[in-house]
């Protein structure tokens, strides 16, 4: 893909060679590409990504304002559908692009993996200024490459599109865009005024680059790549230990005869009977002892090292109740806090990407004539180790009962609604608090009906 884009647009990837090698290594670890002397079967990289992604979206919920347009709600549903895929791509490659595509009066989203696009320019903060992508198409037995270059400008976004008929592994010749039915609506060059950046939402890992120190994002398991390779080697050595520990039969050379396939084996007529005297036995069975305990201890040590480097809770990868690993309550709490902070960093990254994606939909909706009013989502991640919403909600209700807190503010906090202005608070009152209070009730108190409904939620 890099060579194709360079030929088509005369631009090359700005990613350093060291980062390209690291990206290839992350993908090999995730997809289990074999290496000499390593056993890729455990797939620890896939285990790490899967556990983190499930935890991040365990209690994920989005809400739009009541007056949000239908197109905004469909676009939000499409974004939620691509959320887990985008997060997994980001955990593996460090960065993922979310491309909004107009469909059925709203926007759908396609997640673009890090190895499926080329950064052609970045600013000092690592934000994309130009990016190249490629799509493969086939028609009538011919292969085509649809190349797209997006360039950010001060006044808007410029998109250049080229279609090439591939000639084997070469780029081949440029053909008109209407050669393929799916490309008829495309134009060679399109300018979208007012669209920020490259017109793509970006989801990045909130980690400092530990490969070459650049602004490129890195994989979540980039700090533990060395340990993951060591674990793969340890697994291969353990497999070899079991293979070498298999029982063997030692026999003299004159007892072996080749069979029809040329394999040397003992003849059946040799196994008639054995004398009682061991000195007369011609075949000896050898079964060496296994040393699996030392290999397993080393493996547990490497797994605990991975947990520490990646900020995971102790026991996610290793054995939490290992006899030779006594821990204090402080150590247990510390690892739980580290894990909670790791999850919160990932949730904050998706919150920023999701709001950027919906804001981008709002901008594009004006150009495409779509109504995306109220497209800014409120995102609720639920509780965590460091945050117990049920406890805080109980405290706020007590303050409302004591007249120390307005019920509108408590409800706005619980449902993550705007509450900066009096109009915002009035909207909360109209939505949740009945107009007529019960007899003898304190004006600053949440009515019982509202209490029960909120508590149930």
């Amino acid at each position: 893909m890099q060579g194709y884009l360079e030929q088509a647009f005369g631009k090359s990837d700005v990613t350093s060679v060291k980062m390209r090698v690291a990206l290839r290594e992350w993908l090999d670890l995730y997809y289990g590409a074999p290496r000499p002397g390593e056993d890729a079967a455990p797939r620890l990289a896939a285990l790490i990504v899967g556990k983190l992604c499930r935890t991040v979206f365990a209690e994920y919920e989005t809400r739009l304002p009541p007056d949000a347009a239908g197109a905004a709600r469909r676009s939000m549903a499409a974004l939620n559908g691509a959320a887990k895929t985008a997060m997994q791509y980001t955990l593996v490659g460090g960065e993922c692009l979310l491309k909004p595509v107009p469909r059925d009066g709203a926007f759908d989203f396609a997640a673009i993996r890090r190895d499926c696009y080329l950064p052609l320019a970045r600013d000092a903060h690592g934000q994309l200024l130009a990016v190249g992508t490629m799509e493969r198409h086939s028609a009538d037995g011919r292969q085509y490459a649809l190349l797209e270059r997006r360039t950010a400008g001060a006044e808007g976004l410029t998109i250049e599109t080229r279609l090439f008929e591939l000639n084997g592994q070469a780029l081949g010749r440029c053909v008109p865009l209407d050669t393929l039915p799916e490309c008829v609506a495309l134009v060679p060059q399109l300018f979208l005024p007012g669209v920020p950046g490259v017109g793509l939402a970006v989801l990045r890992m909130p980690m400092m680059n530990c490969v070459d120190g650049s602004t490129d994002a890195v994989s979540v398991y980039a700090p533990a790549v060395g340990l993951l390779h060591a674990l793969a080697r340890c697994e291969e050595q353990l497999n070899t230990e079991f293979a070498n520990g298999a029982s063997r039969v030692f026999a003299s050379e004159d007892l072996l005869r080749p069979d029809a396939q040329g394999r040397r084996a003992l003849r059946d007529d040799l196994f008639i009977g054995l004398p009682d005297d061991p000195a007369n036995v011609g075949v000896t069975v050898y079964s060496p002892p296994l040393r699996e305990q030392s290999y397993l201890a080393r493996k547990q040590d490497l797994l605990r090292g991975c947990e520490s480097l990646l900020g995971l809770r102790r026991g996610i990868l290793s054995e939490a109740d290992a006899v030779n690993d006594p821990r204090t309550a402080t150590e247990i709490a510390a690892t739980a806090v580290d894990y909670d902070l790791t999850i919160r960093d990932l949730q904050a990254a998706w919150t920023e990407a999701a709001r950027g994606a919906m804001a981008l939909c709002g901008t594009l909706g004006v150009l495409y004539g779509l109504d995306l009013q109220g497209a800014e989502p409120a995102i609720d991640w639920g509780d965590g180790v460091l945050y117990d919403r049920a406890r805080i909600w109980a405290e706020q209700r007590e303050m409302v009962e004591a007249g120390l807190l307005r019920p509108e503010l408590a409800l706005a906090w619980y449902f993550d609604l705007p509450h900066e202005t009096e109009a915002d608070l009035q909207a909360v009152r109209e939505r949740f608090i009945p107009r007529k209070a019960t007899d003898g009730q304190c004006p600053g108190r949440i009515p019982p009906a509202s209490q029960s409904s909120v508590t149930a939620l």
Side-chain angles (χ1 to χ4, degrees):
M1 182 175 65
Q2 179 180 358
Y4 291 166
L5 288 166
E6 288 178 349
Q7 296 178 47
F9 301 114
K11 298 291 183 178
S12 60
D13 190 355
V14 296
T15 308
S16 66
V17 176
K18 194 172 183 180
M19 276 297 299
R20 295 179 203 172
V21 174
L23 176 61
R24 186 71 263 165
E25 187 176 22
W26 303 333
L27 293 170
D28 288 345
L29 283 170
Y30 183 81
Y31 291 108
R35 276 193 173 193
E38 295 184 5
D39 182 12
R43 304 286 290 277
L44 285 174
L47 175 64
I48 293 169
V49 170
K51 285 184 174 294
L52 287 175
C53 186
R54 285 194 296 271
T55 305
V56 166
F57 292 102
E59 300 179 74
Y60 173 70
E61 182 183 356
T62 57
R63 292 187 295 271
L64 292 175
D67 58 347
R73 296 188 181 279
R74 293 196 301 272
S75 300
M76 190 72 243
L79 180 61
N80 289 336
K84 291 185 178 180
T85 300
M87 179 59 71
Q88 290 173 359
Y89 284 170
T90 304
L91 292 172
V92 176
E95 189 178 60
C96 173
L97 303 181
L98 288 162
K99 181 179 181 179
V101 181
R103 179 174 297 174
D104 299 332
F107 285 96
D108 195 6
F109 286 89
I112 307 176
R113 207 171 58 190
R114 177 61 182 86
D115 60 327
C116 296
Y117 66 89
L118 292 183
L120 303 178
R122 291 185 185 270
D123 61 11
H125 303 286
Q127 301 299 320
L128 288 170
L129 298 178
V131 64
T133 59
M134 185 184 77
E135 296 180 10
R136 296 289 294 267
H137 297 270
S138 61
D140 300 329
R142 298 178 181 179
Q143 299 293 324
Y144 296 89
L146 180 63
L147 304 180
E148 182 181 272
R149 176 191 176 191
R150 292 170 169 252
T151 305
E155 298 181 356
L157 169 65
T158 301
I159 302 177
E160 302 173 68
T161 307
R162 303 285 187 274
L163 181 64
F164 288 84
E165 181 182 343
L166 298 179
N167 182 14
Q169 297 299 322
L171 184 59
R173 64 186 182 91
C174 185
V175 298
L177 289 172
D178 57 4
T179 303
L180 297 177
E182 52 266 41
C183 302
V184 172
L186 301 178
V187 294
Q189 184 164 331
L190 176 65
F191 177 72
L192 299 177
V195 177
V198 293
L200 302 170
V202 182
L203 178 60
R204 288 171 57 93
M205 279 297 301
M207 295 172 54
M208 181 178 177
N209 188 301
C210 59
V211 177
D212 62 353
S214 66
T215 56
D216 287 314
V218 297
S219 170
V220 67
Y221 51 82
V225 164
L227 291 179
L228 294 180
H229 285 297
L231 282 163
R233 290 193 297 269
C234 181
E235 193 72 19
E236 178 66 19
Q237 292 171 355
L238 186 59
N239 293 338
T240 304
E241 179 72 12
F242 277 94
N244 292 336
S247 299
R248 287 170 173 77
V249 175
F250 294 89
S252 59
E253 185 70 18
D254 61 319
L255 297 179
L256 300 177
R257 294 290 185 270
D259 56 12
Q261 287 77 29
R263 295 171 299 189
R264 298 169 64 83
L266 292 171
R267 300 194 311 272
D268 292 341
D269 57 1
L270 292 175
F271 301 95
I272 298 176
L274 294 177
D276 297 334
D277 187 0
N280 297 327
V281 176
V283 175
T284 302
V285 178
Y286 173 70
S287 182
L290 297 175
R291 300 171 296 170
E292 74 276 13
Q293 290 302 322
S294 59
Y295 286 105
L296 292 176
R298 173 59 175 163
K299 183 177 179 179
Q300 291 301 315
D301 183 58
L302 293 173
L303 289 172
R304 286 191 290 269
C306 287
E307 292 168 345
S308 299
L309 279 175
L310 303 181
L312 304 179
R313 186 174 62 243
R314 185 62 60 88
I316 284 185
L317 303 178
S318 63
E319 295 180 2
D321 54 349
V323 178
N324 57 350
D325 184 32
R327 295 181 295 139
T328 63
T330 302
E331 291 175 327
I332 296 174
T335 57
V337 169
D338 288 343
Y339 186 53
D340 184 81
L341 295 176
T342 300
I343 297 301
R344 287 187 175 275
D345 286 343
L346 297 177
Q347 291 173 342
W350 173 252
T351 299
E352 181 180 358
R355 289 175 176 168
M358 294 305 293
L360 181 60
C361 287
T363 304
L364 293 174
V366 176
L367 300 176
Y368 286 98
L370 302 177
D371 181 15
L372 275 89
Q373 179 183 358
E376 183 176 356
I379 299 178
D380 184 6
W381 295 106
D383 296 341
V385 175
L386 302 181
Y387 179 71
D388 187 354
R389 185 166 56 175
R391 177 182 58 81
I392 298 177
W393 172 241
E395 293 175 354
Q396 294 207 16
R397 290 181 60 183
E398 292 177 1
M399 296 177 66
V400 171
E401 296 285 345
L404 301 176
L405 181 67
R406 296 177 64 178
E408 301 95 316
L409 292 175
L411 291 167
W413 168 85
Y414 188 88
F415 291 104
D416 195 17
L417 298 174
H419 54 275
E420 287 78 13
T421 64
E422 186 61 33
D424 294 336
L425 297 179
Q426 178 63 27
V428 174
R429 283 194 295 269
E430 293 178 354
R431 184 176 178 183
F432 295 104
I433 301 179
R435 294 180 181 270
K436 296 181 180 180
T438 56
D439 295 337
Q441 187 177 15
C442 177
R445 178 174 178 177
I446 299 179
S450 300
Q451 287 185 14
S452 60
S453 61
V454 171
T455 304
L457 290 175

